Amino acid sequence: MMSRIEVAKVLADPKIGEKITVMGWVRAFRANRFIALNDGSGMNNLQVVIDYENIEAEVLENIKYHSCLKVTGELVESQGSGQAVELIADDIEVLGGNNLDEYPIQPKKMSMEFLREKAHLRMRTNTFSAVFRIRHAVAFAIHKYFNDNGYYYLHTPIITGSDAEGAGEMFRVSTLDPADAPKTEDGKVDYEKDFFEKPTNLTVSGQLQAEIGALALGKVYTFGPTFRAENSNTSRHLSEFWMVEPEVAFCDIHGDMDLAEDFVQYLIRYVIDNYMDELEFLDNRIKEEEKNMPKEKRRPMGLIEMLRFVVDNEFERITYTDAINILRNSKPFKKGRFEFEPTWGADLQAEHERFLVEKKFKKPVIVRDYPKDIKAFYMRMNDDDKTVAAMDVLFPYIGEVIGGSQREERMDKLTGRMAQMNIPEEELWWYLELRKYGGAPHAGFGLGFERMVQFITGMGNIRDVIPFPRTPGSAEF
């Protein structure tokens, strides 16, 4: 194995005068003498200075943008501005870099759409390397938070026979030949001949199974891939995405809100404390991108300012009914500036959520007690018989990031809701037995992992915070 030191370690603790070996890719090659080398270990490059007495001309001719190099030399204090140290190279070996004249990623402005077509190469850009380091950081912080707070990580199934959301937009899992599927006497597909002997789908949520874990282990969380067969091409939707779903026994809606607030603040604080170089780069990128935009199209604040807005403020907590009243009494509503009318019984739109956060309260907001008719069957009915103990966490710019609820633990109330929503009891017999055998009050929520990463990185499209996006008509890479 070739001995080397990572660039991030060199820059964090430079040993001046020491002879070292680094390996990485050429991010820039100026004046045929100065190489910016990056190995993916951090945001910053190491400047390599060519020593012409030791480096052959033939080697220099083969060094191009994104050539892969092995460089050995002496680490010295930098003579120029822009970096504290530099490496005087006395030996360079080109490890890889054939046909770089045809390399499609160049050090110039490229559209996000073009880079999505080159998803096998886009991580090499400064923007995407920063995004995916932060994605790692958020994932690590999720596990650290729950582990440090006594939760157990539960792997819930990806293939499921139940629809947790009642959405019906699921990907079918089958081994049957679609061109020659076996049929029943009435002409329908005979799923008893299928692998699982029943219709099965890719999961939209691990929540129902997480409830099983919570009612045995007390506090659990899931963190895994989920799937929606929704034909949506918006900047906020993916067909395959990751969900984080804690579930807590002996917890009500207020404990659920406390957990959600503490959790998201922890995640953001972790990134601020450990990945400020990446955040500053992404913040500057957004400022540069928006400087010529009209004011109404710009973000309400800079990226780092927006992150501090979340971690430095106690979240405002209001009921859905309060939210509707506030919106209907607001200047934007009275002046006809809302595209959608805020009406009791309808979902809050992104423009309503942003008004509450950015204009009314100037802090993140948690809205609770939503009308039962726009929420799922498993949410606990409130005493008014009109609303359920559900809550959404709202952030600036992006709107809802978390949706959760206290779960309905009362058997009669749960079966009544299932009947109203035409959900057959026999499909969820096991879910009902959780209430029958030692049921307990419990609550939880779901955090869309990519939406959280999108908020922390400031990326405009959710397809740019997952390495290989799956969307309608697109399953490349």
Side-chain angles (χ1 to χ4, degrees):
M1 182 177 176
M2 293 180 283
S3 177
R4 74 172 180 110
I5 182 170
E6 291 180 344
V7 166
K9 290 179 180 175
V10 174
L11 298 176
D13 185 22
K15 301 287 195 299
I16 302 299
E18 202 171 83
K19 190 164 186 174
I20 62 170
T21 296
V22 293
M23 298 179 196
W25 296 275
V26 175
R27 286 284 175 87
F29 191 14
R30 295 182 294 109
N32 219 34
R33 184 152 189 247
F34 301 101
I35 297 171
L37 201 71
N38 190 289
D39 61 3
S41 59
M43 193 75 229
N44 297 311
N45 305 320
L46 174 64
Q47 176 157 293
V48 174
V49 183
I50 303 294
D51 182 347
Y52 287 115
E53 290 184 7
N54 295 314
I55 309 301
E56 296 177 6
E58 186 181 345
V59 172
L60 292 178
E61 287 172 9
N62 287 321
I63 297 176
K64 297 177 180 175
Y65 179 68
H66 219 77
S67 292
C68 184
L69 307 181
K70 175 185 179 183
V71 183
T72 300
E74 183 184 350
L75 196 65
V76 300
E77 291 185 11
S78 180
Q79 302 302 303
S81 60
Q83 61 280 321
V85 296
E86 57 194 18
L87 185 64
I88 307 299
D90 54 38
D91 185 67
I92 295 178
E93 181 184 347
V94 179
L95 300 176
N98 296 329
N99 301 321
L100 280 168
D101 290 336
E102 303 167 17
Y103 187 53
I105 308 294
Q106 292 296 322
K108 62 181 181 181
K109 189 171 178 62
M110 290 169 286
S111 72
M112 290 292 123
E113 290 81 5
F114 172 77
L115 289 169
R116 277 176 222 133
E117 294 171 6
K118 308 294 181 186
H120 60 307
L121 301 173
R122 68 175 180 167
M123 285 187 214
R124 301 176 178 188
T125 65
N126 286 331
T127 297
F128 284 97
S129 62
V131 166
F132 292 122
R133 275 192 291 271
I134 288 176
R135 182 183 170 102
H136 156 80
V138 180
F140 176 80
I142 286 165
H143 288 299
K144 180 168 172 52
Y145 177 87
F146 286 124
N147 181 72
D148 291 354
N149 284 282
Y151 286 71
Y152 297 104
Y153 182 27
L154 193 70
H155 295 102
T156 53
I158 290 172
I159 299 172
T160 178
S162 60
D163 178 358
E165 299 292 334
E169 294 170 329
M170 304 175 79
F171 290 103
R172 177 142 296 155
V173 176
S174 175
T175 58
L176 298 178
D177 181 353
D180 189 27
K183 298 288 199 300
T184 59
E185 287 183 5
D186 57 2
K188 294 180 179 178
V189 174
D190 185 0
Y191 284 106
E192 288 189 4
K193 302 285 196 308
D194 206 350
F195 186 89
F196 292 107
E197 300 180 4
K198 63 181 287 190
T200 51
N201 307 284
L202 295 179
T203 187
V204 299
S205 168
Q207 178 210 310
L208 301 189
Q209 291 86 357
E211 289 186 50
I212 295 173
L215 294 175
L217 300 172
K219 296 189 292 190
V220 301
Y221 71 103
T222 78
F223 183 8
T226 49
F227 306 85
R228 300 278 168 95
E230 185 179 353
N231 192 11
S232 174
N233 275 299
T234 77
S235 63
R236 296 177 61 174
H237 290 91
L238 290 164
S239 303
E240 174 185 298
F241 56 100
W242 288 65
M243 283 281 284
V244 183
E245 296 173 292
E247 200 70 33
V248 188
F250 318 115
C251 181
D252 62 12
I253 188 66
H254 301 287
D256 204 30
M257 293 189 289
D258 291 342
L259 174 62
E261 179 172 346
D262 190 56
F263 175 56
V264 293
Q265 286 185 328
Y266 177 91
L267 299 184
I268 294 171
R269 201 175 291 114
Y270 181 86
V271 178
I272 289 173
D273 289 346
N274 294 280
Y275 288 80
M276 185 52 79
D277 286 345
E278 282 80 2
L279 290 177
E280 286 175 347
F281 173 84
L282 293 167
D283 197 2
N284 290 331
R285 174 189 168 275
I286 291 166
K287 286 172 184 169
E288 186 66 24
E289 194 178 67
E290 294 188 348
K291 68 181 181 183
N292 296 320
M293 281 186 185
K295 190 177 179 182
E296 63 273 10
K297 290 193 174 180
R298 293 182 204 163
R299 294 161 201 253
M301 57 195 92
L303 177 61
I304 294 172
E305 184 186 357
M306 191 147 55
L307 299 180
R308 296 204 183 278
F309 176 91
V310 173
V311 297
D312 293 342
N313 282 302
E314 188 175 323
F315 293 10
E316 188 70 32
R317 300 185 186 190
I318 60 172
T319 67
Y320 168 89
T321 302
D322 290 339
I324 294 296
N325 290 335
I326 289 167
L327 290 164
R328 294 189 69 84
N329 286 312
S330 69
K331 282 184 182 177
F333 175 68
K334 290 178 178 177
K335 293 185 176 180
R337 290 181 186 157
F338 284 142
E339 183 181 351
F340 299 96
E341 182 178 348
T343 306
W344 202 98
D347 261 323
L348 296 178
Q349 299 295 320
E351 61 180 346
H352 305 146
E353 295 169 344
R354 289 189 62 181
F355 172 81
L356 293 170
V357 172
E358 296 168 22
K359 304 295 185 187
K360 174 64 180 175
F361 294 109
K362 296 183 171 57
K363 59 173 72 172
V365 175
I366 305 179
V367 178
R368 73 175 193 276
D369 298 339
Y370 281 81
K372 66 179 183 180
D373 293 337
I374 58 172
K375 290 297 181 181
F377 74 93
Y378 51 72
M379 297 183 176
R380 194 181 201 275
M381 187 72 69
N382 288 327
D383 292 341
D384 61 11
D385 210 35
K386 295 191 299 184
T387 63
V388 289
M391 63 93 183
D392 287 343
V393 178
L394 312 180
F395 275 8
Y397 187 61
I398 204 166
E400 181 205 334
V401 290
I402 277 180
S405 70
Q406 184 174 343
R407 317 310 189 188
E408 183 58 82
E409 85 280 10
R410 299 164 296 184
M411 180 71 88
D412 58 333
K413 298 283 188 182
L414 182 58
T415 53
R417 286 284 285 148
M418 289 173 70
Q420 288 174 10
M421 300 177 76
N422 298 314
I423 298 171
E425 290 186 21
E426 58 271 19
E427 282 189 15
L428 288 171
W429 61 270
W430 53 270
Y431 190 70
L432 294 172
E433 284 196 355
L434 294 178
R435 278 71 183 162
K436 183 178 178 183
Y437 304 135
H442 58 290
F445 60 76
L447 168 74
F449 178 60
E450 280 76 21
R451 189 163 295 185
M452 190 65 181
V453 176
Q454 189 181 1
F455 177 77
I456 293 175
T457 59
M459 297 300 284
N461 194 310
I462 201 164
R463 301 176 194 201
D464 298 326
V465 298
I466 190 168
F468 311 106
R470 297 290 180 255
T471 55
S474 177
E476 291 293 322
F477 312 103

